[in-house]
Amino acid sequence: MYTWSFAPILQASDLFLLGAWITVVYTIGSIALGLVLGLAVCFARLSGNGPLNWFAQGFQELFRCTPLLVQLLWIYYALPLILGIDIPNWAAAMTTLSLYAAAFYAEVFRGGIVSIDKGQSEAGAAIGMSGWQVMRRIVLPQAIRRMMPAFINQSVTQFKNTSLVSVISVADLTYMATVVNGQTYRPLEAYTAVAILYFVILFPITKFADVVERRMRAGN
Amino acid sequence: MTSKPSSTSTPSSASSGSLLEASGITKNFGALKVLHGIDLAVKAGEVLSIIGPSGSGKSTFIRCMNMLERPDAGDIIFRGRRVGPKHVGDAHFMGQGELRRHVGMVFQHFNLFPHKTVLENVIEGPVVVQRKSRAEAVEIAMDYIAKVGLAEKRDAWPNQLSGGQKQRVAIARALAMQPDALLLDEVTSALDPELVGEVLGVVRSLADQGMTMVIVTHEISFAADVSERIVFMEAGRIAAEGSPTDILRSPSNERLKAFLSRFHA
Ligand SMILES: Nc1ncnc2c1ncn2[C@@H]1O[C@H](COP(=O)(O)OP(=O)(O)OP(=O)(O)O)[C@@H](O)[C@H]1O
Ligand SMILES: [Mg+2]
């Protein structure tokens, strides 16, 4: 019978906290960059400009139809050979996570915007509003409410996806578990501790997403 | 009268003194030809109704009149100014935004903004488009909200209103822009029968006050009652046109006769 011993793990708690912090930084950073880029991609898709739409859609399909792990390895190991410059692991990690997030967020935004009844923008236009005023004052406020649950779910996924950066030695939470395992030879405790940490952070967020979704349904 | 003399740019089909005019409007949706060159001029203060079978192009036409639908050919002319790409300093042209500030529209399905209260719906145009102060906009808005009988609903949300109330708010929203003309596309068709009367009552009082209106409707007797002129559309053309008595009492056109007989059944 295996005897659990969390004592060595607790001694390494500063490593876990540092890892958790790094994970949060990569999550928030890539969500923020992904938001901005995702919005740009979304508006490119909706612009009605042929080449722009085509380019944006190509970008989305590329990042949605290849595994994140492959993207990460490609940008870290393959891209530098093409560019002829070194890409540090943190930059490769942040870039890949942000591009990946942007591809998915763009689809969440686009779905929210096109789900708003055409009569809404026509009513705005009919009182003389410009296209941008209609978007900002009529369509977006309704679309944002509607896309909130999908947006939160995508962000939760994004948080978990950051664990992949450990394969290019970014010292995130998952990477720290491997480090602690190497020091203590206690894989069961090390990986259990890490799983618990992810869970403790994400569980309240998914509960919050449920509340948002229920309130949104009640509102409509 | 508010209408100014037409400028020299008015096309040959213009009847002088018209406020809003459609000239040779053609519209296709892909291969489907919906409008085949429609000419129609509305004078200031006139109430004109458009009737016709389903699919004859009434909605498409009235939506062309404020450029929600872009005609493939032909012109919309407001006070003698052609609506089109604006040439800076050219007084003969007007942009579509400017047209819509002068010509309001009320839709079949109300299209109230669900994330705004009744009052916010109605002040949206005056504040955002006309750049009026909030206080001034509220004053104007409350005036129209009261006129449509909904003063006590000013802080209600659209989903708390009946269909008839929603449509009356939509009318107030259009009126708050203080437009020169109003386009109404089947504004009672989405309403339960018992709610039709309250909306028609508001439209009738606008007619009494001299509002210029183009009304697309299936309420034939209301159209006869409230309009100076009725236009019968058939397959993308104006098939008959005249006073309510001409159109309803002595229809000359066979298709019009057939159309009207369905309402007397
Ligand atoms: N956006 C569109 N795309 C393609 N076809 C359209 C579009 N809008 C209208 N049509 C078609 O154009 C024709 C005229 O439609 P329209 O809505 O103008 O008719 P209507 O006279 O208003 O009919 P109803 O009395 O049923 O409202 C119809 O055949 C319709 O299917
Ligand atoms: Mg119609």
Side-chain angles (χ1 to χ4, degrees), chain B residues 127-155:
Chain B
V127 169
V128 175
V129 177
Q130 295 175 326
R131 309 223 164 273
K132 291 196 158 83
S133 73
R134 197 186 150 87
E136 191 189 350
V138 167
E139 191 178 325
I140 294 168
M142 280 314 297
D143 191 28
Y144 290 109
I145 292 172
K147 278 205 176 104
V148 300
L150 290 171
E152 78 284 9
K153 295 284 186 191
R154 55 175 278 171
D155 296 318

Side-chain angles (χ1 to χ4, degrees), chain A residues 117-130 133 136-139 141-142 145 218-220, chain B residues 63 66 68 97 100-101 103-105 107 111-116 124-125 128-129 131 159 173-174 177:
Chain A
D117 179 39
K118 202 162 139 268
Q120 287 292 306
S121 21
E122 290 186 346
I127 51 174
M129 295 172 94
S130 67
Q133 286 173 330
R136 193 168 51 83
R137 299 193 52 90
I138 307 301
V139 177
Q142 298 180 57
R145 280 180 52 124
N220 284 348
Chain B
R63 287 160 56 81
N66 74 343
L68 278 186
R100 291 169 183 164
R101 289 199 289 278
V103 179
M105 183 167 224
F107 302 86
N111 299 349
L112 291 185
F113 307 131
H115 59 304
K116 294 177 185 291
E124 183 73 7
V128 175
V129 177
R131 309 223 164 273
N159 66 4
R173 179 175 65 184
M177 292 294 289

Side-chain angles (χ1 to χ4, degrees), chain B residues 29 32 34 52-61 69 108 186 218:
Chain B
F29 289 112
L32 182 70
V34 176
S54 186
S56 56
K58 306 181 298 296
S59 293
T60 306
F61 175 64
E69 218 67 77
Q108 180 175 354
E186 298 206 31
H218 286 293

